[in-house]
Amino acid sequence: MRLFANQPDAMRRIGKMVAFGHLFERDATSLPGAEPSSFRDIRCPAAVLHHYWGGYSLCLESEDRVEIMRDPSGMLPCYYRSWDDIFYVASDVPLLCEASGQQPTIDWQGLGGTLYINGLPQRTTALAGIFQLLPGMTLKIGKGHAEEAIIWSPWACVDRQAPDLKTFRQIILDCIRAWTAQFPSILIGVSGGLDSSIVAFGARRHGGLHAFTIATNDPRGDERPFARDLARVLDIPLFEATYDLAAVDISRSSFIHAPRPGGRAQLHAYDKLLAGLAERHSAKAFFSGVGGDNVFYLTSSARPLVDRHLMGGAPTELWSTLLDICRLTGSTPWQVFRHVLQIPRARGPKYHWRPNADLLAPALIDDFKEQQLTHPWLDGPVDSLPGKAAQVAMIIRTQGYMEAQDRRFPFEPVHPLMSQPIIEMCLSVPSWEACRGGIDRSFARRAFASDLPPTVIKRRIKGGPDHFALQILRSHLPAIRARLIDGALVRNHIVDRGALEVALTETSLASGGRYTRILSLLDTEAWIDGWSAADTRPSWL
């Protein structure tokens, strides 16, 4: 076994094991804390999960095998391939290819599957022979073979004692502060929404913190007033910008660093702004609120009511949760009850991942529709709660979001709310607490109510780059039509040409229903071009 890292402090030994990335110590008597100064006598990866957390992969060499473990947060990617009886493992796919000396070919069936499975992380990728080790899994490599096994399950956390609001707040802040201590200068993206505001509050005392927010020209995508309130209350510098159409290049993929497509053209503008600001402030890390909606369980479902019923809730408690859901969703009690009847309660799986077949070729859909969409974390206990199953699925979905930033940025992407102690703690909070009072992510809002501006705590709407995304489509529509209708996805029978021609009309775009899918397909075409030509240069250069 040979180990390589591009930073002297990126590797540390734990007995016979070596950890790559960031590792923090914790024990039963203390909250998440600082970087460990010494390691316990720990001899197996499973024990590391109980005593440490962070964003890391672990490597253990024994007489007959090498074992790789990826921590549950998923913050440090882990990919692998074999070539000539040698296994290569890396945190970056272009680096993996460089190390093995082999340029991968596109797996067209895998590419079609990526578009169909709708963001469900899988061990297989759209590059032939390249695999991803999922968070909370181990890869055991023997002579000429390898097998994966689950080593951490979210379901082990569901039955734990839920924290009170004070403990909940403190654990989140300790995790954020542990991360901030790793970097001399930090750039944080803020929207004035709850999740990024909590991260900003936890990082506010860092001397090298700089915040930024980006807006569209449409008022619905302009979150600057919320971000300004946050920056003023926390007393942190804020840079404001708007999405720049000139920064978008539809011929290059924003996801070229990944082994599967998943980007959007609007990410070009975001990434270029991010890279420029990081250079200006010499930032060594980019912090975000990614994962907050997921771990805090942003739901408009009736599942919390079903959970409370299955847990033996009293009639008054059930009535209270019913009213909470009605206030949150604007539904009548009868509408909520109709939804309750559709939620699985019998023994067995409580969550079924929905594919996205929109604009895909009928033959490809037929190939995949009989396959069950699975993930190691979706296989919960037979008596699991449906609300918790949905929360686990939301955490799974975040794993794909965390691939968005290219690891070749000159700074490190950090998503503190996806820290293992936070995930474990949030899974122990009953699902009905997330909608108490008819407020989304209610438990987290209450925990930080005295720390953040009222405009943030009371905010119920979300902004986003939707207007900018439609602007990209309308500005480049002739080129986009030519690129997609005569593109590789149509030629390889992945996308339905007829459906695509209908979708790429002004009338269809005006309805606003399919622009996300179209931008995904557009970035996929650029991803195909990049890997076909072995041109995996970062899109933000």
Side-chain angles (χ1 to χ4, degrees), residues 518-529:
I518 294 170
L519 285 171
S520 171
L521 298 180
L522 180 64
D523 200 83
T524 299
E525 285 286 350
W527 183 91
I528 292 168
D529 289 347

Side-chain angles (χ1 to χ4, degrees), residues 94-116:
L95 179 63
L96 186 72
C97 300
E98 183 181 344
S100 63
Q102 300 298 318
Q103 180 67 17
T105 57
I106 293 172
D107 178 349
W108 293 102
Q109 183 76 359
L111 177 59
T114 295
L115 295 173
Y116 178 79

Side-chain angles (χ1 to χ4, degrees), residues 6 72 90 98 105 141 155 165 173 191 235 270 289 313 330 410 511 528:
N6 65 339
E98 183 181 344
T105 57
I141 304 171
W155 295 102
L165 290 172
L173 292 179
S191 63
D235 192 24
Y270 192 94
S511 67
I528 292 168

Side-chain angles (χ1 to χ4, degrees), residues 283-297:
K284 299 301 180 185
F286 163 62
F287 279 38
S288 82
V290 162
D293 288 350
N294 311 64
V295 295
F296 298 150
Y297 192 33

Side-chain angles (χ1 to χ4, degrees), residues 9-14 17-26 35-36 39-40 42 44-60 67-79 89-91 133-139 151-152 179 182-183 377 402 407 412-415 418-421 423-424:
D9 59 347
M11 289 191 292
R12 54 174 61 100
R13 289 197 171 274
I14 312 174
M17 294 177 286
V18 175
F20 286 82
H22 297 277
L23 211 61
F24 307 104
E25 188 172 13
R26 66 173 177 179
E35 185 176 357
F39 291 101
R40 297 177 175 86
I42 293 177
C44 68
V48 174
L49 290 169
H50 295 293
H51 297 290
Y52 301 97
W53 64 277
Y56 65 94
S57 290
L58 199 71
C59 184
L60 169 65
E67 184 172 353
I68 310 293
M69 182 193 80
R70 188 178 177 198
D71 91 274
S73 76
M75 272 190 261
L76 183 67
C78 187
Y79 307 105
V89 185
S91 59
L133 184 64
L134 297 175
M137 301 287 289
T138 65
L139 173 68
I151 196 170
W152 181 93
W179 279 113
Q182 300 294 298
F183 308 100
W377 291 359
M402 290 191 292
R407 299 296 300 186
E412 188 167 349
V414 179
H415 313 293
M418 285 300 293
S419 298
Q420 182 185 342
I423 294 174
E424 293 174 346

Side-chain angles (χ1 to χ4, degrees), residues 481-496:
R481 283 180 57 86
R483 187 165 180 78
L484 288 179
I485 292 174
D486 297 319
L489 291 171
V490 169
R491 293 197 304 271
N492 285 276
H493 311 292
I494 293 173
V495 168
D496 185 321

Side-chain angles (χ1 to χ4, degrees), residues 393-437:
M394 291 175 72
I395 293 170
I396 290 171
R397 188 173 292 279
T398 315
Q399 296 170 6
Y401 301 159
M402 290 191 292
E403 288 187 351
Q405 265 79 48
D406 195 324
R407 299 296 300 186
R408 294 167 295 176
F409 269 120
F411 53 84
E412 188 167 349
V414 179
H415 313 293
L417 297 182
M418 285 300 293
S419 298
Q420 182 185 342
I422 297 177
I423 294 174
E424 293 174 346
M425 176 182 62
C426 289
L427 286 169
S428 73
V429 176
S431 61
W432 54 87
E433 291 291 347
C435 61
R436 182 181 289 275

